[in-house]
Amino acid sequence: MGDSSDSRERRDGRPLGEFDLIDRFFGRAARAGRTEGGAVALGIGDDCALLTPSAGHQWLVTADMLVEGRHFLSTVSPRRLGHKALAVNLSDLAACGATPRAFFLSLALPRVDEAFLAGFAQGLFELADAQGIVLAGGDTTAGPLNLNITAMGEVPAGQALLRSGARVDDDVWVSGTLGDARLALEVFRGTLSLSATQFEEVRLRMEMPEPRVALGKALRGLATSAVDVSDGLAGDIGHVLKRSNVGATLRLADLPRSAVLGAMPEELQRLCLLTGGDDYELVFTAPPDARQRVLEAGRAAGTPVYRIGRIDEAPGLRVVDGMGRPVQDVPQSFDHFKS
Ligand SMILES: [Mg+2]
Protein backbone atom coordinates (compact mmCIF):
# COMPACT_ATOMS: atom_id res chain seq x y z
CA MET A 1 0.00 0.00 0.00
CA GLY A 2 1.32 3.41 -0.93
CA ASP A 3 4.09 1.54 -2.67
CA SER A 4 3.09 2.64 -6.17
CA SER A 5 5.91 0.86 -7.98
CA ASP A 6 6.01 0.22 -11.73
CA SER A 7 5.49 -3.49 -11.21
CA ARG A 8 2.39 -2.73 -9.15
CA GLU A 9 1.05 -0.57 -11.95
CA ARG A 10 1.60 -3.23 -14.60
CA ARG A 11 0.20 -6.02 -12.47
CA ASP A 12 -3.09 -4.29 -11.78
CA GLY A 13 -3.33 -2.56 -15.14
CA ARG A 14 -4.43 0.67 -13.48
CA PRO A 15 -3.09 4.16 -13.80
CA LEU A 16 -0.65 5.17 -11.09
CA GLY A 17 -2.90 8.07 -10.05
CA GLU A 18 -5.49 5.76 -8.52
CA PHE A 19 -2.95 4.21 -6.20
CA ASP A 20 -1.70 7.66 -5.28
CA LEU A 21 -5.28 8.31 -4.21
CA ILE A 22 -5.28 5.25 -1.98
CA ASP A 23 -1.94 6.33 -0.56
CA ARG A 24 -3.52 9.65 0.33
CA PHE A 25 -6.14 7.95 2.49
CA PHE A 26 -4.04 5.27 4.12
CA GLY A 27 -0.45 6.52 3.91
CA ARG A 28 -0.88 9.23 6.53
CA ALA A 29 -1.27 7.15 9.65
CA ALA A 30 1.29 4.64 8.51
CA ARG A 31 3.95 7.29 8.13
CA ALA A 32 2.94 8.86 11.43
CA GLY A 33 3.36 5.46 13.03
CA ARG A 34 6.90 5.34 11.74
CA THR A 35 7.87 8.48 13.61
CA GLU A 36 5.99 7.59 16.77
CA GLY A 37 8.51 4.94 17.72
CA GLY A 38 7.06 2.23 19.89
CA ALA A 39 6.40 -1.14 18.32
CA VAL A 40 6.51 0.03 14.72
CA ALA A 41 10.13 0.95 13.98
CA LEU A 42 9.42 1.20 10.25
CA GLY A 43 5.94 1.22 8.71
CA ILE A 44 4.97 1.76 5.06
CA GLY A 45 7.68 2.60 2.55
CA ASP A 46 9.93 -0.43 2.48
CA ASP A 47 9.49 -4.03 1.42
CA CYS A 48 8.56 -5.03 4.97
CA ALA A 49 7.47 -3.33 8.14
CA LEU A 50 9.95 -3.52 11.00
CA LEU A 51 8.44 -4.15 14.43
CA THR A 52 10.18 -4.09 17.77
CA PRO A 53 8.59 -6.17 20.55
CA SER A 54 8.72 -4.83 24.10
CA ALA A 55 11.22 -6.66 26.30
CA GLY A 56 9.75 -9.78 27.89
CA HIS A 57 6.61 -9.74 25.74
CA GLN A 58 5.04 -12.09 23.21
CA TRP A 59 3.38 -11.04 19.94
CA LEU A 60 -0.20 -12.11 19.23
CA VAL A 61 -1.29 -12.11 15.60
CA THR A 62 -4.81 -12.44 14.19
CA ALA A 63 -6.37 -12.05 10.73
CA ASP A 64 -9.97 -11.48 9.68
CA MET A 65 -11.50 -11.18 6.24
CA LEU A 66 -14.72 -9.29 5.56
CA VAL A 67 -16.68 -10.07 2.40
CA GLU A 68 -19.68 -8.06 1.26
CA GLY A 69 -22.99 -9.93 1.66
CA ARG A 70 -21.39 -12.42 4.03
CA HIS A 71 -19.91 -10.28 6.81
CA PHE A 72 -21.47 -6.93 6.06
CA LEU A 73 -24.39 -5.58 4.05
CA SER A 74 -24.08 -3.12 1.18
CA THR A 75 -26.25 -0.74 3.24
CA VAL A 76 -23.51 -0.11 5.81
CA SER A 77 -21.87 3.32 5.65
CA PRO A 78 -18.17 3.32 4.64
CA ARG A 79 -17.23 4.92 7.96
CA ARG A 80 -18.92 2.19 9.99
CA LEU A 81 -17.40 -0.44 7.73
CA GLY A 82 -13.92 0.97 8.40
CA HIS A 83 -14.63 0.82 12.12
CA LYS A 84 -15.95 -2.72 12.00
CA ALA A 85 -13.15 -4.10 9.83
CA LEU A 86 -10.62 -3.14 12.50
CA ALA A 87 -12.95 -3.78 15.46
CA VAL A 88 -13.37 -7.49 14.69
CA ASN A 89 -9.58 -7.91 14.75
CA LEU A 90 -9.20 -5.86 17.92
CA SER A 91 -11.84 -8.10 19.48
CA ASP A 92 -9.64 -11.16 18.88
CA LEU A 93 -6.70 -9.34 20.46
CA ALA A 94 -8.96 -8.39 23.39
CA ALA A 95 -9.98 -12.03 23.86
CA CYS A 96 -6.30 -12.85 24.39
CA GLY A 97 -5.69 -9.95 26.76
CA ALA A 98 -3.36 -8.26 24.26
CA THR A 99 -2.31 -4.63 23.97
CA PRO A 100 -2.91 -3.68 20.30
CA ARG A 101 0.24 -2.52 18.45
CA ALA A 102 0.17 -2.74 14.65
CA PHE A 103 -2.13 -3.78 11.83
CA PHE A 104 -1.90 -4.51 8.12
CA LEU A 105 -4.71 -3.76 5.66
CA SER A 106 -5.23 -5.50 2.34
CA LEU A 107 -8.06 -4.20 0.21
CA ALA A 108 -9.60 -5.42 -3.01
CA LEU A 109 -11.74 -2.66 -4.52
CA PRO A 110 -13.98 -2.88 -7.58
CA ARG A 111 -13.07 0.74 -8.35
CA VAL A 112 -11.37 3.64 -6.65
CA ASP A 113 -14.28 5.47 -5.07
CA GLU A 114 -13.06 8.58 -3.31
CA ALA A 115 -16.12 9.00 -1.05
CA PHE A 116 -15.98 5.36 0.00
CA LEU A 117 -12.26 5.49 0.78
CA ALA A 118 -12.55 8.74 2.72
CA GLY A 119 -15.35 7.34 4.90
CA PHE A 120 -13.70 3.96 5.34
CA ALA A 121 -10.37 5.53 6.33
CA GLN A 122 -12.13 7.85 8.78
CA GLY A 123 -13.87 5.02 10.62
CA LEU A 124 -10.74 2.89 10.54
CA PHE A 125 -8.38 5.54 11.92
CA GLU A 126 -10.81 6.87 14.54
CA LEU A 127 -10.80 3.44 16.13
CA ALA A 128 -7.08 2.85 15.50
CA ASP A 129 -6.17 6.15 17.18
CA ALA A 130 -8.49 5.45 20.11
CA GLN A 131 -6.88 2.05 20.67
CA GLY A 132 -3.29 3.13 19.97
CA ILE A 133 -2.78 0.72 17.07
CA VAL A 134 -0.77 1.77 14.00
CA LEU A 135 -1.30 0.86 10.34
CA ALA A 136 2.09 -0.58 9.38
CA GLY A 137 1.50 -1.83 5.83
CA GLY A 138 -0.73 -3.71 3.44
CA ASP A 139 -1.72 -4.00 -0.19
CA THR A 140 -4.44 -2.88 -2.57
CA THR A 141 -5.71 -4.41 -5.78
CA ALA A 142 -8.66 -4.21 -8.11
CA GLY A 143 -11.31 -6.88 -7.54
CA PRO A 144 -14.61 -7.64 -5.80
CA LEU A 145 -14.83 -5.73 -2.51
CA ASN A 146 -12.86 -7.67 0.08
CA LEU A 147 -11.27 -6.37 3.27
CA ASN A 148 -8.46 -8.16 5.05
CA ILE A 149 -6.85 -7.00 8.24
CA THR A 150 -4.05 -8.66 10.14
CA ALA A 151 -3.59 -7.20 13.60
CA MET A 152 -0.79 -7.66 16.10
CA GLY A 153 -0.65 -7.05 19.80
CA GLU A 154 1.54 -8.05 22.69
CA VAL A 155 1.30 -9.41 26.23
CA PRO A 156 3.89 -10.01 28.93
CA ALA A 157 5.29 -13.49 28.17
CA GLY A 158 3.02 -16.28 29.42
CA GLN A 159 0.05 -14.00 30.22
CA ALA A 160 -2.06 -14.39 27.08
CA LEU A 161 -5.65 -15.48 27.79
CA LEU A 162 -6.28 -18.76 25.97
CA ARG A 163 -9.29 -20.96 25.25
CA SER A 164 -7.67 -23.94 26.94
CA GLY A 165 -7.57 -22.85 30.60
CA ALA A 166 -11.16 -23.28 31.86
CA ARG A 167 -11.40 -25.51 34.95
CA VAL A 168 -14.28 -27.39 36.57
CA ASP A 169 -16.25 -25.13 38.97
CA ASP A 170 -15.02 -21.93 37.32
CA ASP A 171 -17.69 -19.28 36.80
CA VAL A 172 -18.61 -18.36 33.23
CA TRP A 173 -18.83 -14.61 32.61
CA VAL A 174 -19.82 -12.41 29.71
CA SER A 175 -19.40 -8.68 29.08
CA GLY A 176 -21.99 -6.15 27.88
CA THR A 177 -25.15 -7.50 26.27
CA LEU A 178 -25.76 -10.24 23.72
CA GLY A 179 -28.01 -10.60 20.70
CA ASP A 180 -28.65 -7.05 19.45
CA ALA A 181 -26.59 -7.49 16.28
CA ARG A 182 -28.64 -10.54 15.38
CA LEU A 183 -31.85 -8.64 16.03
CA ALA A 184 -30.70 -5.95 13.59
CA LEU A 185 -29.86 -8.61 11.02
CA GLU A 186 -33.39 -10.03 11.30
CA VAL A 187 -34.81 -6.58 10.57
CA PHE A 188 -32.60 -6.32 7.46
CA ARG A 189 -33.79 -9.79 6.45
CA GLY A 190 -37.40 -8.61 6.77
CA THR A 191 -38.43 -11.21 9.36
CA LEU A 192 -39.01 -8.60 12.03
CA SER A 193 -39.84 -4.92 12.38
CA LEU A 194 -38.83 -2.52 15.13
CA SER A 195 -39.54 1.14 15.81
CA ALA A 196 -37.04 3.54 14.23
CA THR A 197 -35.33 4.24 17.57
CA GLN A 198 -35.11 0.56 18.50
CA PHE A 199 -33.71 -0.27 15.09
CA GLU A 200 -31.06 2.48 15.27
CA GLU A 201 -29.96 1.13 18.66
CA VAL A 202 -29.47 -2.46 17.55
CA ARG A 203 -28.11 -1.46 14.15
CA LEU A 204 -25.37 0.49 15.90
CA ARG A 205 -24.42 -2.66 17.80
CA MET A 206 -24.18 -4.57 14.53
CA GLU A 207 -22.28 -1.95 12.56
CA MET A 208 -20.13 -0.31 15.25
CA PRO A 209 -19.06 -3.09 17.66
CA GLU A 210 -16.88 -1.93 20.51
CA PRO A 211 -13.91 -4.27 21.00
CA ARG A 212 -13.39 -5.02 24.71
CA VAL A 213 -9.67 -4.32 24.69
CA ALA A 214 -9.49 -2.68 28.13
CA LEU A 215 -11.44 -5.54 29.70
CA GLY A 216 -9.22 -8.18 28.10
CA LYS A 217 -6.13 -6.50 29.51
CA ALA A 218 -7.74 -6.16 32.95
CA LEU A 219 -8.47 -9.91 32.94
CA ARG A 220 -4.82 -10.95 32.55
CA GLY A 221 -3.84 -13.16 35.44
CA LEU A 222 -7.50 -13.36 36.50
CA ALA A 223 -9.48 -15.17 33.77
CA THR A 224 -8.59 -18.81 33.20
CA SER A 225 -9.87 -18.72 29.60
CA ALA A 226 -11.50 -16.27 27.20
CA VAL A 227 -13.01 -16.01 23.73
CA ASP A 228 -14.83 -13.24 21.89
CA VAL A 229 -18.40 -13.74 20.70
CA SER A 230 -18.18 -13.41 16.93
CA ASP A 231 -20.29 -16.35 15.75
CA GLY A 232 -22.67 -16.65 18.73
CA LEU A 233 -22.38 -17.52 22.41
CA ALA A 234 -23.20 -21.25 22.10
CA GLY A 235 -20.66 -21.85 19.36
CA ASP A 236 -17.92 -19.64 20.73
CA ILE A 237 -18.07 -21.01 24.28
CA GLY A 238 -18.04 -24.42 22.61
CA HIS A 239 -14.47 -23.68 21.46
CA VAL A 240 -13.45 -23.04 25.07
CA LEU A 241 -15.12 -26.22 26.32
CA LYS A 242 -13.44 -28.32 23.66
CA ARG A 243 -9.98 -26.85 24.15
CA SER A 244 -10.31 -27.06 27.93
CA ASN A 245 -11.84 -30.59 27.98
CA VAL A 246 -14.76 -29.49 30.14
CA GLY A 247 -18.49 -28.77 29.83
CA ALA A 248 -20.67 -25.88 30.99
CA THR A 249 -24.15 -25.04 32.20
CA LEU A 250 -25.48 -21.59 31.33
CA ARG A 251 -28.49 -19.94 32.96
CA LEU A 252 -30.68 -18.48 30.21
CA ALA A 253 -32.30 -15.95 32.56
CA ASP A 254 -28.88 -14.53 33.48
CA LEU A 255 -27.73 -13.82 29.91
CA PRO A 256 -27.49 -10.00 29.69
CA ARG A 257 -29.69 -8.39 27.04
CA SER A 258 -30.73 -4.90 26.03
CA ALA A 259 -34.19 -3.53 26.78
CA VAL A 260 -34.97 -3.83 23.07
CA LEU A 261 -34.16 -7.54 22.94
CA GLY A 262 -35.76 -8.13 26.36
CA ALA A 263 -39.11 -6.98 24.93
CA MET A 264 -39.06 -9.61 22.15
CA PRO A 265 -40.80 -13.02 22.23
CA GLU A 266 -39.00 -15.67 24.35
CA GLU A 267 -38.00 -17.83 21.42
CA LEU A 268 -36.47 -14.96 19.47
CA GLN A 269 -34.57 -13.81 22.56
CA ARG A 270 -33.16 -17.30 22.99
CA LEU A 271 -32.05 -17.47 19.36
CA CYS A 272 -30.39 -14.04 19.47
CA LEU A 273 -28.72 -14.62 22.87
CA LEU A 274 -27.34 -18.07 22.10
CA THR A 275 -26.57 -17.93 18.39
CA GLY A 276 -26.50 -14.24 17.47
CA GLY A 277 -23.12 -13.46 15.96
CA ASP A 278 -21.34 -10.12 15.69
CA ASP A 279 -21.69 -9.17 19.37
CA TYR A 280 -17.92 -9.00 19.99
CA GLU A 281 -18.39 -9.31 23.72
CA LEU A 282 -15.93 -11.39 25.77
CA VAL A 283 -16.92 -14.72 27.32
CA PHE A 284 -14.47 -15.85 29.94
CA THR A 285 -14.03 -18.10 32.94
CA ALA A 286 -12.58 -17.41 36.37
CA PRO A 287 -12.51 -19.25 39.69
CA PRO A 288 -15.32 -18.40 42.18
CA ASP A 289 -12.84 -16.84 44.61
CA ALA A 290 -11.99 -14.24 41.95
CA ARG A 291 -15.57 -12.87 41.68
CA GLN A 292 -14.84 -9.59 43.41
CA ARG A 293 -11.70 -8.98 41.35
CA VAL A 294 -13.54 -9.78 38.10
CA LEU A 295 -16.24 -7.22 38.95
CA GLU A 296 -13.52 -4.69 39.72
CA ALA A 297 -11.79 -5.45 36.41
CA GLY A 298 -15.09 -4.77 34.62
CA ARG A 299 -15.53 -1.49 36.46
CA ALA A 300 -11.95 -0.42 35.76
CA ALA A 301 -12.44 -1.21 32.06
CA GLY A 302 -15.81 0.58 31.94
CA THR A 303 -17.51 -2.63 30.74
CA PRO A 304 -20.17 -4.38 32.82
CA VAL A 305 -19.59 -8.11 33.33
CA TYR A 306 -22.14 -10.76 34.28
CA ARG A 307 -21.90 -14.25 35.74
CA ILE A 308 -23.92 -16.53 33.46
CA GLY A 309 -23.03 -20.09 34.38
CA ARG A 310 -20.53 -22.65 35.59
CA ILE A 311 -17.94 -25.00 34.17
CA ASP A 312 -18.79 -28.71 34.68
CA GLU A 313 -16.94 -31.95 34.29
CA ALA A 314 -19.46 -33.49 31.83
CA PRO A 315 -18.53 -32.43 28.29
CA GLY A 316 -20.87 -30.30 26.19
CA LEU A 317 -23.01 -27.22 26.70
CA ARG A 318 -26.21 -27.26 28.74
CA VAL A 319 -28.64 -24.35 29.11
CA VAL A 320 -31.19 -24.15 31.93
CA ASP A 321 -34.22 -21.89 32.24
CA GLY A 322 -35.15 -19.67 35.18
CA MET A 323 -36.48 -22.72 37.08
CA GLY A 324 -33.29 -24.69 36.51
CA ARG A 325 -34.94 -26.97 33.93
CA PRO A 326 -32.87 -27.95 30.91
CA VAL A 327 -33.65 -26.05 27.73
CA GLN A 328 -34.08 -28.59 24.94
CA ASP A 329 -32.73 -28.05 21.44
CA VAL A 330 -30.18 -25.38 22.25
CA PRO A 331 -29.80 -23.59 18.92
CA GLN A 332 -26.36 -23.99 17.39
CA SER A 333 -24.18 -21.20 16.20
CA PHE A 334 -24.39 -19.41 12.89
CA ASP A 335 -22.09 -21.18 10.46
CA HIS A 336 -20.79 -19.29 7.42
CA PHE A 337 -20.65 -22.42 5.30
CA LYS A 338 -23.99 -23.95 6.26
CA SER A 339 -26.25 -20.93 6.03
MG1 LIG B 1 -12.34 -14.69 18.02
Side-chain angles (χ1 to χ4, degrees):
M1 177 181 305
D3 177 22
S4 304
S5 63
D6 290 338
S7 65
R8 169 75 51 81
E9 184 192 12
R10 282 196 300 273
R11 195 176 71 207
D12 291 317
R14 284 172 162 259
L16 210 59
E18 298 195 347
F19 285 101
D20 287 346
L21 193 66
I22 290 166
D23 181 47
R24 223 174 68 210
F25 291 112
F26 298 107
R28 164 199 80 88
R31 277 187 296 270
R34 179 178 176 173
T35 58
E36 267 170 23
V40 182
L42 177 62
I44 290 172
D46 215 304
D47 292 304
C48 295
L50 193 58
L51 308 178
T52 311
S54 309
H57 283 60
Q58 288 175 306
W59 283 113
L60 295 99
V61 185
T62 179
D64 254 294
M65 174 161 57
L66 268 70
V67 175
E68 186 171 6
R70 178 60 70 181
H71 302 99
F72 62 91
L73 304 172
S74 56
T75 48
V76 68
S77 77
R79 185 179 163 202
R80 288 186 176 185
L81 186 59
H83 173 100
K84 185 165 179 176
L86 181 58
V88 299
N89 283 276
L90 286 169
S91 181
D92 280 326
L93 291 180
C96 293
T99 303
R101 293 296 189 204
F103 72 102
F104 299 81
L105 168 69
S106 295
L107 274 178
L109 297 166
R111 63 189 179 284
V112 177
D113 173 340
E114 203 161 336
F116 173 86
L117 285 169
F120 182 84
Q122 187 191 357
L124 185 85
F125 288 126
E126 277 168 355
L127 181 61
D129 292 348
Q131 295 288 353
I133 190 168
V134 173
L135 177 64
D139 194 16
T140 52
T141 183
L145 185 55
N146 193 316
L147 315 165
N148 278 282
I149 289 183
T150 299
M152 307 176 64
E154 55 181 13
V155 291
Q159 285 193 34
L161 304 177
L162 304 176
R163 296 174 175 184
S164 53
R167 291 182 300 244
V168 174
D169 290 334
D170 276 355
D171 293 319
V172 180
W173 297 77
V174 71
S175 63
T177 59
L178 296 169
D180 279 355
R182 176 59 181 273
L183 207 52
L185 183 63
E186 292 301 327
V187 175
F188 278 113
R189 282 174 172 168
T191 64
L192 180 76
S193 63
L194 295 175
S195 75
T197 3
Q198 286 178 322
F199 178 52
E200 255 330 292
E201 196 182 319
V202 294
R203 181 182 189 173
L204 199 63
R205 288 299 310 269
M206 179 172 96
E207 296 181 344
M208 294 279 284
E210 215 182 294
R212 303 302 190 187
V213 173
L215 178 63
K217 285 164 68 176
L219 291 173
R220 284 181 199 158
L222 200 53
T224 50
S225 73
V227 67
D228 66 319
V229 184
S230 53
D231 294 334
L233 176 64
D236 287 321
I237 198 176
H239 300 312
V240 169
L241 303 182
K242 212 165 186 179
R243 295 295 295 267
S244 301
N245 281 313
V246 292
T249 304
L250 302 184
R251 299 177 298 268
L252 191 58
D254 290 345
L255 301 183
R257 65 206 80 181
S258 67
V260 177
L261 181 59
M264 297 295 131
E266 261 323 303
E267 202 172 325
L268 179 61
Q269 286 191 44
R270 185 182 305 180
L271 182 82
C272 292
L273 290 167
L274 292 170
T275 72
D278 268 7
D279 289 316
Y280 300 102
E281 296 294 350
L282 296 187
V283 180
F284 56 96
T285 56
D289 64 13
R291 281 177 192 169
Q292 206 48 46
R293 283 179 292 153
V294 169
L295 289 170
E296 279 157 20
R299 268 195 294 274
T303 307
V305 291
Y306 305 94
R307 209 148 43 81
I308 59 169
R310 201 190 57 225
I311 295 294
D312 312 315
E313 213 171 318
L317 177 66
R318 288 157 295 279
V319 179
V320 295
D321 67 14
M323 313 292 289
R325 292 173 306 213
V327 172
Q328 303 301 328
D329 303 324
V330 173
Q332 287 311 296
S333 215
F334 181 81
D335 187 321
H336 294 297
F337 294 101
K338 284 182 189 154
S339 64

